[in-house]
Amino acid sequence: DTRIPTGCFELRLRKEGGMNRAYSSRFPDMHKGMLWVIGVPGFEWVYIHIGNDEDDTQGCILVGDDPASITRDAFVSQSTQAYKRIYPGIANALEQGEGVTLSVRDYA
């Protein structure tokens, strides 16, 4: 019900809100703001973040490092590890004013 439609979406850093405060505390050495996906129809605060299953998201993108987990009941594993791997490069590019986009494809 909350999946992101196919398309290309701009990313920005969002430095307000409860999730930003939580991630600032959890990752004080790397956090610069939430990875915010802009322009998703019907949604305002779509983020790329840590989580393992549908209880951890309401339309946001969960990251993981175990491709085999995709086939196991939509469970995302090694999410914190994946987030810590991808976050710094994306956040640094955004801070430097580089345009960063996310391409969403439907393979169903």
Side-chain angles (χ1 to χ4, degrees):
D1 293 334
T2 60
R3 93 185 225 209
I4 297 173
T6 298
C8 191
F9 302 94
E10 174 188 355
L11 296 183
R12 292 186 195 159
L13 288 174
R14 182 162 192 264
K15 299 180 181 193
E16 298 86 23
M19 268 190 102
N20 181 63
R21 285 189 295 279
Y23 275 57
S24 290
S25 294
R26 186 170 181 179
F27 304 108
D29 295 334
M30 75 172 196
H31 188 76
K32 300 173 182 193
M34 294 305 298
L35 300 177
W36 182 19
V37 184
I38 304 296
V40 178
F43 295 92
E44 177 102 26
W45 311 118
V46 177
Y47 301 121
I48 298 172
H49 65 82
I50 294 167
N52 299 116
D53 59 32
E54 63 186 40
D55 292 336
D56 298 324
T57 182
Q58 294 181 347
C60 292
I61 297 169
L62 304 179
V63 296
D65 266 346
D66 181 6
S69 69
I70 295 170
T71 61
R72 295 191 310 258
D73 300 321
F75 184 82
V76 179
S77 65
Q78 301 177 16
S79 188
T80 301
Q81 172 183 306
Y83 188 79
K84 289 166 80 174
R85 180 176 48 78
I86 70 163
Y87 182 89
I90 296 170
N92 288 339
L94 290 169
E95 278 198 318
Q96 293 174 15
E98 295 178 31
V100 180
T101 58
L102 172 72
S103 179
V104 176
R105 297 181 185 166
D106 186 353
Y107 289 104

